Amino acid sequence: MKAIARLSLAELTLLARDPGSLFFMVAFPMMLLVLNSGNDRLDIFVPSYMAMILAIGGIAALPGIMATYRERKVLRRLATTPVSPFALLAGQVVAQLVMGLAGSLIVVGTGVLAFGVDLPAHPLMLALSFVLCALTCCAIGFVIAAIAPRGRVADLLGMLVMFPMIFLAGAAIPREGLPEPLRRIGDYLPLSQGVTALRESWFGAPTATPLLILAGIIVVSTAVAAALFRWE
């Protein structure tokens, strides 16, 4: 546990020092919320932006970090130490969770305090949905890191997966405003289940289906990443 805690703190420190991570996971969602503050249904955007923050961290940022560590032989050097591969991966996940939580709290706080958005109806279900959505995004990120040969390729693949997904899944803009064909595509995207779970928990009508689907995606993606990932 001490190794995981230390690695988590180290990875979180690196994320916090990265201007790109700070902007896209903390400042950017809040800016979008302010820009949409004139919308009559601003409350829809808050849980959706939480999913977007998690996708930016887990799908767009994490793959490049892991692939770069492998490219620079960091993973091979760690293999000669008492640090286990599980501790390294857990540290990445915890760092993404904490950074995602920080960005989400800022969005929620801005929405509630500045624009009068109602507090979530089911905080505990919202927390569960948040964790499952974060783990899903990280699991997908690990799959991307597993197939990318270099850090820059992982960054590109992460962006190519993340950007269409946040729009089609309703994380950046409500899916209700998309044309029907695009909404149908979004039905099959993993992040759509995260958005649905967060929104249902926020508005007081949580169901088990999106949570179970997220859990299944986590298991399958983790298994695929474990099978494909190369440590050097």
Side-chain angles (χ1 to χ4, degrees):
M1 292 301 294
K2 288 184 178 180
I4 294 176
R6 290 176 179 175
L7 283 170
S8 300
L9 181 59
E11 293 297 335
L12 182 60
T13 301
L14 292 174
L15 278 176
R17 290 176 178 175
D18 178 33
S21 296
L22 281 177
F23 176 76
F24 284 106
M25 295 185 71
V26 178
F28 182 62
M30 184 183 66
M31 290 168 55
L32 290 180
L33 188 69
V34 173
L35 290 174
N36 285 290
S37 59
N39 194 298
D40 294 335
R41 293 302 312 277
L42 184 64
D43 51 353
I44 293 178
F45 290 87
V46 175
S48 300
Y49 287 165
M50 293 170 67
M52 180 177 68
I53 290 168
L54 296 174
I56 290 172
I59 300 176
L62 186 148
I65 295 172
M66 292 301 299
T68 299
Y69 282 175
R70 182 177 60 229
E71 185 179 0
R72 295 180 178 177
K73 312 301 181 184
V74 173
L75 299 182
R76 186 171 66 179
R77 290 196 293 271
L78 283 174
T80 64
T81 70
V83 177
S84 67
F86 173 78
L88 175 64
L89 299 181
Q92 288 289 340
V93 172
V94 171
Q96 293 294 338
L97 266 171
V98 174
M99 183 65 79
L101 180 61
S104 297
L105 287 176
I106 291 174
V107 167
V108 171
T110 302
V112 172
L113 299 177
F115 303 115
V117 173
D118 292 334
L119 290 169
H122 285 275
L124 292 180
M125 288 300 296
L126 183 70
L128 176 60
S129 301
F130 181 87
V131 171
L132 288 176
C133 186
L135 293 178
T136 298
C137 292
C138 288
I140 295 172
F142 284 131
V143 172
I144 296 173
I147 64 176
R150 295 181 299 278
R152 289 186 178 181
V153 176
D155 286 332
L156 177 59
L157 289 177
M159 292 291 185
L160 289 175
V161 172
M162 185 273 295
F163 270 113
M165 192 179 294
I166 63 173
F167 286 99
L168 296 177
I173 57 175
R175 290 181 62 201
E176 292 83 354
L178 295 175
E180 181 62 25
L182 295 182
R183 286 204 301 272
R184 291 180 180 177
I185 295 174
D187 290 339
Y188 299 97
L189 298 177
L191 191 62
S192 296
Q193 303 302 322
V195 173
T196 299
L198 288 166
R199 285 177 58 172
E200 287 182 351
S201 300
W202 189 279
F203 295 114
T207 59
T209 301
L211 300 178
L212 292 174
I213 294 176
L214 288 173
I217 294 171
I218 293 168
V219 172
V220 173
S221 298
T222 301
V224 171
L228 298 178
F229 195 84
R230 295 174 293 105
W231 292 93
E232 52 180 288

